Amino acid sequence: MKDWFSKWALYSPEEIAVKEWETGRTLSYGALDKMANRLAWHLTQDLGLQTGERVAVLADNCLEYIALFAAAQKTGLVLVPLNYRLSSTEIDYLLRDSGPQLLIVEEKYQALVEAAPAWETIPQHWSIELLGEWLDAAVSAPAWPFASVFLEDDHPIFILYTSGTTGFPKGALYTHKMLFWNSINTAMSLVINSHGRTVVCMPPFHTGGWNVLTTPLLHHGGYVCLMKKFDTAEVLKALVEEKPSIFMGVPTMLKMIADCTGFAEADLSSLYYIIVGGEPMPIPLIETWHNKGVFIRQGFGMTEVGPNLFSLHHRDAMRKKGSIGRPNFYVEIKIVDENGQEVAPNTPGELLLRGPMTTPGYWGNPIATASSIREGWFYSGDMLRQDEEGYLYVVDRIKNMFISGGENVYPAEIERVLVAHPQVAGAAVIGVQDEKWGEVGKAFVTFTEGCTLDEVELKTWCVQHLAKFKVPKYFEFLRELPVSATGKIDKKVLR
């Protein structure tokens, strides 16, 4: 059953499925299904779109996006969420690569997309605002039944673009089967059910915005409050007023919330726990949230496989600090060396994944598909180690590794040491060329308020905690580290 909303419209038609925080607009499961049926009819019968054709969307989180998702389940159309933080040149590449038949744009992004030459090649256009007016009218009109089309399990519902090692983004095919099994894996490791509630402030062009909590909760008949952007004070307010049972954020976001005026007084007792991804969360920050009575569940995921792959139970947050936990229920893994042989416990190796939540490949890119998927295993490009109890630790991205004097150096190890210093707020390390050693480390560091630390003291700290070849040769102090659209440190900018 790939059409979730017709089922929930039958079981819980009056229950609110989704709310738009900024406007207060809501849609019940009954109204959402009615809206999606009418939209599915319009897209296929009036506009002539056929199963498998792409619909590109450039917009913030909104109710219309959810309606499009529901219509895609019914019709087999493929949504291509576009990143509104990209340049027109980059958007042009995504449009040319995905070849949509319909482009739906929020008016404030219209100039951005019109500067992309491929915009003129797309047969049909619509604005998200006009779509909203059209859908409002559809809800108040008589019901318009739509018979959902039959779809194979590996039929895509999204093309989600990720960074490419060649410098060009790759469009990961996110299928209906992946959607289902990610929801099952998530529900088996977290409390996800029809009583579940969440606030989502992750962007809609990222798998985290769609598939960490939004689609699992909609699959299970829960409640999703959408926010158009991450605003610290507004998110804290939403966490109090919406009374979510679960929330997802990256460490940078959670630190900003913890530092926000009003955090100490905020009633967050509705939260079972917060899901953390993107990077390891510092122990002091975990303690801050635990002292608030909110447990932290660290995890790890990838667009192409899941994304919800690993989970660390909050009871192990301190005992297994730095761990991403163990694999979720229907996730099979192994860690291998450069020859494809499984490594011993506590030995770094590349993470391989297999299971029903794995992508069949990349859109129009058989070379990238063949490189990433071999003999049924997805090669993650991530270097991990697994301890004797089966807990996983991320060592680094293989592509971030650099070689200094013949030794493999993983920046994430150095970064963990740097941020452990009480006067260091953030750190990022890259490899730079060196005449003697081939490559050496360069650290970019931000400090806490009132810091008196200098380069000599920081290097001494590193020498105390790292092998000599891992100690950065260069340090650069910044007011802030550049971050990507998903809240991760952007090493491309640093390079």
Side-chain angles (χ1 to χ4, degrees):
M1 180 66 187
K2 298 178 176 65
D3 176 6
W4 301 343
F5 299 97
S6 63
K7 287 287 189 180
W8 285 115
L10 179 65
Y11 301 150
S12 307
E14 302 304 320
E15 291 294 324
I16 300 300
V18 60
K19 174 182 177 179
E20 198 174 270
W21 170 257
E22 289 80 3
T23 65
R25 294 190 303 157
T26 63
L27 279 176
S28 68
Y29 276 99
L32 180 54
D33 184 61
K34 183 179 179 183
M35 183 179 284
N37 280 338
R38 184 65 187 89
L39 180 57
W41 181 273
H42 181 68
L43 292 171
T44 57
Q45 303 303 311
D46 297 338
L47 300 185
L49 299 184
Q50 299 181 14
T51 296
E53 291 187 326
R54 278 75 60 208
V55 176
V57 187
L58 186 63
D60 295 332
N61 283 324
C62 57
L63 300 189
E64 290 77 15
Y65 232 140
I66 302 298
L68 283 165
F69 169 77
Q73 282 198 325
K74 295 172 182 288
T75 62
L77 293 171
V78 183
L79 297 182
V80 184
L82 299 175
N83 184 345
Y84 44 72
R85 294 171 183 164
L86 297 179
S87 68
S88 295
T89 300
E90 292 167 312
I91 288 175
D92 185 70
Y93 176 84
L94 300 187
L95 291 174
R96 292 185 186 279
D97 189 66
S98 59
Q101 291 294 305
L102 172 64
L103 174 61
I104 303 175
V105 182
E106 192 169 349
E107 287 179 0
K108 67 180 180 179
Y109 300 123
Q110 188 66 32
L112 177 65
V113 76
E114 285 185 7
W119 174 74
E120 297 182 352
T121 69
I122 298 169
Q124 302 185 77
H125 300 83
W126 209 353
S127 79
I128 206 80
E129 288 81 3
L130 288 176
L131 172 59
E133 293 176 10
W134 188 92
L135 289 173
D136 288 343
V139 169
S140 59
W144 198 295
F146 183 86
S148 298
V149 302
F150 172 79
L151 300 171
E152 299 289 347
D153 286 350
D154 274 338
H155 186 87
I157 187 164
F158 296 116
I159 297 176
L160 298 171
Y161 279 90
T162 65
S163 299
T165 55
T166 63
F168 294 99
K170 298 178 293 184
L173 297 172
Y174 198 92
T175 69
H176 290 262
K177 181 170 76 171
M178 294 171 69
L179 198 68
F180 173 81
W181 285 104
N182 176 68
S183 175
I184 297 302
N185 273 326
T186 305
M188 294 183 78
S189 63
L190 308 174
V191 179
I192 299 287
N193 53 39
S194 58
H195 301 291
R197 300 172 62 87
T198 194
V199 172
V200 173
C201 54
M202 300 293 285
F205 52 79
H206 184 261
T207 191
W210 280 107
N211 299 314
V212 171
L213 291 175
T214 301
T215 56
L217 273 165
L218 292 175
H219 182 208
H220 286 82
Y223 170 89
V224 177
C225 175
L226 293 174
M227 303 189 77
K228 292 183 178 297
K229 63 179 180 178
F230 175 79
D231 177 280
T232 309
E234 284 297 302
V235 171
L236 180 58
K237 184 180 179 182
L239 291 178
V240 173
E241 294 184 5
E242 293 297 320
K243 301 188 182 305
S245 55
I246 192 169
F247 176 69
M248 184 266 174
V250 298
T252 302
M253 294 164 54
L254 297 179
K255 185 178 189 311
M256 292 171 68
I257 295 171
D259 291 341
C260 183
T261 302
F263 176 75
E265 299 78 26
D267 179 5
L268 304 179
S269 58
S270 66
L271 282 167
Y272 295 138
Y273 31 70
I274 289 177
I275 311 306
V276 177
E279 57 186 309
M281 187 158 166
I283 295 299
L285 187 56
I286 294 176
E287 291 173 336
T288 296
W289 282 91
H290 280 198
N291 292 337
K292 183 68 176 171
V294 179
F295 293 120
I296 297 297
R297 287 281 193 100
Q298 296 203 89
F300 178 84
M302 296 185 68
T303 300
E304 297 94 335
V305 198
N308 299 332
L309 296 169
F310 299 90
S311 182
L312 179 69
H313 198 280
H314 53 263
R315 64 171 172 259
D316 294 320
M318 300 302 181
R319 186 175 75 90
K320 294 291 184 179
K321 61 181 181 180
S323 173
I324 57 172
R326 291 182 283 202
N328 286 336
F329 203 90
Y330 292 103
V331 177
E332 187 179 352
I333 72 160
K334 62 180 179 179
I335 299 176
V336 302
D337 60 21
E338 60 273 14
N339 298 316
Q341 301 300 309
E342 291 194 60
V343 300
N346 289 309
T347 303
E350 183 175 4
L351 171 67
L352 275 56
L353 299 125
R354 185 166 66 183
M357 69 295 152
T358 304
T359 182
Y362 297 101
W363 169 258
N365 197 336
I367 295 175
T369 299
S371 174
S372 297
I373 304 173
R374 288 171 260 167
E375 297 180 349
W377 289 95
F378 183 85
Y379 283 66
S380 70
D382 288 305
M383 188 70 68
L384 273 72
R385 65 176 177 86
Q386 186 172 31
D387 69 15
E388 294 86 350
E389 296 181 71
Y391 290 81
L392 279 296
Y393 297 78
V394 178
V395 178
D396 208 349
R397 287 289 296 171
I398 290 176
K399 66 181 181 182
N400 286 340
M401 182 194 80
F402 61 92
I403 301 174
S404 186
E407 296 282 358
N408 292 347
V409 182
Y410 299 98
E413 290 185 286
I414 308 169
E415 291 159 359
R416 281 194 287 270
V417 168
L418 287 168
V419 297
H421 193 288
Q423 294 189 59
V424 172
V429 176
I430 63 172
V432 297
Q433 290 187 343
D434 184 78
E435 186 175 344
K436 180 177 181 180
W437 301 110
E439 290 179 293
V440 293
K442 179 174 182 177
F444 297 85
V445 181
T446 61
F447 293 126
T448 57
E449 187 175 352
C451 173
T452 60
L453 199 63
D454 61 22
E455 181 176 335
V456 174
E457 293 172 301
L458 192 55
K459 184 169 284 190
T460 300
W461 171 266
C462 291
V463 168
Q464 291 172 348
H465 298 282
L466 290 167
K468 187 176 180 180
F469 68 88
K470 297 180 183 178
V471 176
K473 183 175 180 178
Y474 305 106
F475 291 84
E476 185 171 332
F477 304 138
L478 303 176
R479 289 182 180 272
E480 59 183 19
L481 294 167
V483 295
S484 68
T486 57
K488 298 180 183 179
I489 294 172
D490 194 337
K491 291 192 175 181
K492 288 183 180 179
V493 173
L494 295 177
R495 289 188 181 98

